[in-house]
Amino acid sequence: MFSANGFILRVLSVKRGWLMAYIELENVTFCYPGQSRPVLRDINLSIYKEGVTAITGANGSGKTTFSKLLIGILTPTKGWIKLNGQLLTSLTLAQIGRRIGYVFQNPGKQLFCETVEEEIAFGVRNLGLGLSTDQVAQKVRMVLDYFELTRYAQVYPLSLSAGEKRRLAIAAVFVLEPDLLLLDEPTTGLDPYRKKLLGDYLDKVIAAKRGVVIISHDQKFISRYATRLIKLQEGQFVEE
Amino acid sequence: MSDLDPRTKIVSILCLSTLAVFLNEPWPLLLLFVFTLLILLFLRINFFRITMRFKKLLPLLLLMLIIQSIFTAGGEVLISFHDINILTSNGINSALCILFRLLTLFSSAMIIMTSSSKDYVLALTQLKIPYEIAFMVLVALRFLPIFIEEIKDTLVAIQLRGVDLQRIPWRHKIKFYTRFLAPLLSRVMLKAHQLAITMEARAFRVYRRRTYLRLLQYSVADYVVMVFFAIATIVVLARDFLY
């Protein structure tokens, strides 16, 4: 069901010491303040900068909490998380954002600019990628074009439809070319054609030696693109 | 006291805040604040734990107190520079009054946390306030955490796209804050609009007359507390105005 090549490559790579874990979780437990039952318990996991890692689980199993821990929005109650060898708690959100591109479950929450074009250009300008104004404009045009958002370039992002907002949120993160993409329910609201577009882009990301983590319920999409499947059950991970 | 009628709690909050607004001396205001803290202690509300959530506002409060103490003239001069009086006894009095007033207003509002929001809607309607307005007050209260959540999410999104809000200079920070304010308000208004549609779709205001399964009833303790607060407020205010 899953890409056998990807799996074999990963096993071989780990055995030969080719791959270093990009994100490492050691005994991570997380409990929301005021609650006695932890959402996630003693999680030990390595995430690599290659292939598509899919994380699934029932509603309320802690998938989004897990993604927020990976991006540093939440801090583990116990244990630690390392990003490329550095403790996540020692990095600012901006520093994490330079390495991990995160698309929220509700993409409307991450749109804050006045036009679609500005939304995509925002991160490129701020991250100091050493691009000239023309290069930024060219990159933005290319992404607008790829995600078929060109005709909305001057539109107010919050007036877009739910599916368009999701496309824009994904585009605004993709343009930054982070080492690892973390997508929380990326296919919600996308039509089959745009799901395929997203999948094609994921293929490009993987080809560029970047990793993707998808948190999703979309079995069809996962089975098509994931190289590794992890299931969240009662606060713990089960690798399949 | 947590079993008291919500209307009694509303009256007690009104009395405490009225006193906090009208008293103009630091000592009576300090006593009022201590009295409010005792009520909170009685209600098992941890004032300090809740206040810590607002610790980011402390520099603002401190700045306000400093400005107040510098710009209030009169009284004994404590610090001066050449002919300019920098700190006077009246300035310190004024700053202390503001501090205790704000603390009393803030802590007295915490009394509201001891009853459910449904009880307050019932209380307001039984106080002859139209149901629509009572419900709007409730929705507004529930909207506050949503608004705070929206602000947090936007700040996270900005930072994740490379803006180190903790390290950039204030003028740039203000630029970013003003930039996201419009979309933030737009999002909140959109949510309010959606909420209004959802409410109407669920038959809000279809019938002019509403009936209630449960009616609030005053107990003896309610009457005692209300009379105590009303008399105490009148006596303190009268004493303050007369002398």
Side-chain angles (χ1 to χ4, degrees):
Chain A
M1 188 163 96
F2 298 97
S3 162
N5 287 343
F7 180 75
I8 292 163
L9 177 75
R10 194 165 57 81
V11 171
L12 285 174
S13 306
V14 173
K15 274 196 168 178
R16 291 176 186 181
W18 289 353
L19 280 181
M20 284 277 289
Y22 193 63
I23 301 179
E24 273 178 281
L25 289 94
E26 179 94 13
N27 295 326
V28 170
T29 297
F30 182 78
C31 189
Y32 280 104
Q35 286 185 5
S36 54
R37 202 174 71 88
V39 184
L40 301 168
R41 278 184 295 119
D42 291 322
I43 289 182
N44 292 294
L45 185 74
S46 295
I47 294 171
Y48 303 92
K49 213 175 82 177
E50 57 97 47
V52 177
T53 305
I55 292 165
T56 63
N59 287 345
S61 58
K63 298 188 298 295
T64 297
T65 303
F66 174 71
S67 70
K68 285 182 178 172
L69 281 168
L70 286 191
I71 203 77
I73 299 172
L74 296 175
T75 313
T77 319
K78 210 182 86 189
W80 50 258
I81 303 173
K82 276 185 180 175
L83 173 63
N84 208 13
Q86 276 180 290
L87 272 178
L88 210 61
T89 44
S90 68
L91 301 169
T92 63
L93 278 178
Q95 286 168 327
I96 298 167
R98 279 168 204 157
R99 297 166 200 188
I100 305 176
Y102 180 51
V103 178
F104 288 37
Q105 189 174 21
N106 177 0
K109 286 188 173 184
Q110 67 189 104
L111 307 175
F112 48 83
C113 291
E114 279 161 28
T115 64
V116 166
E117 192 177 36
E118 259 185 66
E119 198 69 58
I120 295 173
F122 184 87
V124 188
R125 287 197 195 114
N126 286 306
L127 284 177
L129 301 173
L131 300 176
S132 67
T133 316
D134 285 346
Q135 283 170 316
V136 170
Q138 198 185 348
K139 206 173 165 91
V140 170
R141 266 200 305 275
M142 201 183 74
V143 173
L144 279 171
D145 199 35
Y146 187 86
F147 284 92
E148 295 180 7
L149 289 165
T150 310
R151 67 190 169 115
Y152 303 117
Q154 297 308 315
V155 170
Y156 185 50
L158 293 177
S159 64
L160 297 173
S161 74
E164 286 160 353
K165 273 184 210 162
R166 185 165 294 278
R167 259 153 65 202
L168 174 59
I170 295 171
V173 168
F174 276 5
V175 73
L176 305 175
E177 297 174 8
D179 292 334
L180 191 86
L181 274 172
L182 177 55
L183 312 173
D184 197 350
E185 301 286 359
T187 54
T188 312
L190 295 187
D191 55 42
Y193 168 65
R194 290 197 171 87
K195 273 187 197 176
K196 193 188 168 297
L197 267 188
L198 174 68
D200 291 348
Y201 202 94
L202 292 186
D203 284 338
K204 280 188 187 176
V205 171
I206 296 157
K209 303 281 176 217
R210 293 196 165 95
V212 180
V213 177
I214 295 180
I215 290 163
S216 179
H217 278 118
D218 191 338
Q219 288 299 329
K220 206 173 160 189
F221 187 81
I222 286 174
S223 58
R224 164 73 181 81
Y225 296 100
T227 50
R228 184 184 180 194
L229 178 64
I230 297 167
K231 204 168 178 183
L232 197 52
Q233 254 174 1
E234 290 169 12
Q236 289 192 309
F237 280 122
V238 184
E239 191 145 358
E240 293 193 351
Chain B
M1 193 168 165
S2 55
D3 295 332
L4 288 177
D5 189 289
R7 288 168 293 182
T8 311
K9 289 175 191 169
I10 293 172
V11 169
S12 64
I13 294 167
L14 280 176
C15 289
L16 288 168
S17 23
T18 308
L19 284 173
V21 170
F22 282 101
L23 289 176
N24 263 322
E25 290 292 322
W27 278 109
L29 277 166
L30 173 65
L31 282 175
L32 185 68
F33 174 54
V34 172
F35 177 66
T36 315
L37 280 186
L38 286 174
I39 295 174
L40 293 183
L41 198 72
F42 202 57
L43 290 170
R44 293 192 193 125
I45 296 174
N46 193 334
F47 169 78
F48 297 100
R49 199 168 61 102
I50 298 169
T51 313
M52 282 314 281
R53 286 190 206 164
F54 298 91
K55 63 183 175 198
K56 282 186 180 166
L57 293 176
L58 273 177
L60 202 71
L61 180 70
L62 208 68
L63 183 76
M64 204 169 73
L65 295 181
I66 292 168
I67 290 172
Q68 196 58 231
S69 53
I70 290 173
F71 287 99
T72 310
E76 193 186 333
V77 179
L78 301 171
I79 302 171
S80 65
F81 182 72
H82 294 293
D83 282 344
I84 304 160
N85 296 335
I86 294 173
L87 197 65
T88 63
S89 56
N90 278 7
I92 290 182
N93 267 359
S94 172
L96 287 174
C97 280
I98 285 186
L99 175 70
F100 295 135
R101 186 171 291 138
L102 285 177
L103 285 172
T104 309
L105 289 171
F106 184 66
S107 50
S108 63
M110 287 180 195
I111 296 174
I112 220 152
M113 290 160 62
T114 50
S115 288
S116 77
S117 46
K118 270 185 193 169
D119 283 349
Y120 284 110
V121 174
L122 262 181
L124 290 172
T125 47
Q126 282 183 235
L127 285 170
K128 305 287 176 210
I129 288 169
Y131 173 74
E132 286 82 357
I133 293 175
F135 193 77
M136 267 196 290
V137 172
L138 167 79
V139 171
L141 284 174
R142 281 195 185 159
F143 231 69
L144 269 177
I146 296 174
F147 194 63
I148 293 166
E149 201 60 37
E150 289 285 338
I151 294 174
K152 277 185 187 168
D153 285 335
T154 310
L155 286 176
V156 165
I158 290 177
Q159 289 177 86
L160 284 177
R161 279 202 260 158
V163 181
D164 215 337
L165 282 177
Q166 283 153 359
R167 292 181 187 173
I168 58 170
W170 265 99
R171 60 192 171 92
H172 289 302
K173 213 180 263 192
I174 290 166
K175 197 180 90 182
F176 280 114
Y177 285 148
T178 47
R179 192 173 185 166
F180 83 74
L181 204 65
L184 181 76
L185 284 175
S186 160
R187 271 211 310 259
V188 172
M189 281 166 77
L190 201 71
K191 270 201 175 160
H193 182 63
Q194 284 166 348
L195 182 73
I197 293 171
T198 321
M199 278 162 59
E200 287 193 11
R202 283 194 266 162
F204 183 68
R205 292 178 73 192
V206 163
Y207 300 110
R208 277 186 74 81
R209 189 171 164 267
R210 283 183 68 92
T211 53
Y212 301 92
L213 181 65
R214 192 166 68 91
L215 285 177
L216 297 171
Q217 278 186 328
Y218 290 120
S219 65
V220 178
D222 285 306
Y223 287 116
V224 172
V225 171
M226 267 202 282
V227 169
F228 168 75
F229 269 100
I231 291 175
T233 308
I234 292 166
V235 167
V236 173
L237 286 181
R239 189 192 153 278
D240 204 52
F241 280 122
L242 292 174
Y243 301 104

